[in-house]
Amino acid sequence: MPTVMPEEVYLAQRVQTNQVEQMPVFIVGSLGCALFVNGSVAGVMSLIWVVLRRCYASVYSNAVGIPTDDIGLAKFTVPAYFLSNGMVVATAIHAIRSLFV
């Protein structure tokens, strides 16, 4: 008979799983942007990404008893996606531009 895990444990696992899913794009984007575009810009964008992800983790893991739609995670995830994907795109554009110079 399967046991039901406590909601606190479920939310903590969701936070960790989501963080692990986001890490590859963030690592590739931040390192690529720092090495090939601008280290200072990449550093600031990475810092903001880390703060947003920490806020996401804090809010989500403390949302016991709150319906998922009412937690308000989009205010953390959407800007974090823009930051990590922006660093990846900036790296890709810089790489493509370097082929033609």
Side-chain angles (χ1 to χ4, degrees):
M1 174 183 237
T3 60
V4 177
M5 87 173 60
E7 188 176 7
E8 296 87 359
V9 174
Y10 172 77
L11 292 175
Q13 287 180 337
R14 285 297 311 136
V15 167
Q16 180 63 27
T17 302
N18 191 270
Q19 188 68 9
V20 170
E21 291 170 355
Q22 301 302 316
M23 287 306 293
V25 173
F26 170 70
I27 291 171
V28 169
S30 61
L31 289 177
C33 189
L35 291 172
F36 301 115
V37 181
N38 186 310
S40 298
V41 171
V44 170
M45 290 175 75
S46 297
L47 177 64
I48 296 169
W49 184 89
V50 168
V51 169
L52 286 168
R53 294 303 300 170
R54 182 63 194 115
C55 291
Y56 167 89
S58 179
V59 168
Y60 199 11
S61 61
N62 291 315
V64 175
I66 301 172
T68 306
D69 294 340
D70 296 338
I71 299 172
L73 296 175
K75 63 185 169 193
F76 306 117
T77 56
V78 172
Y81 289 150
F82 274 104
L83 288 166
S84 60
N85 290 328
M87 290 187 285
V88 169
V89 169
T91 303
I93 289 171
H94 191 74
I96 292 169
R97 285 181 49 197
S98 69
L99 293 174
F100 300 106
V101 175

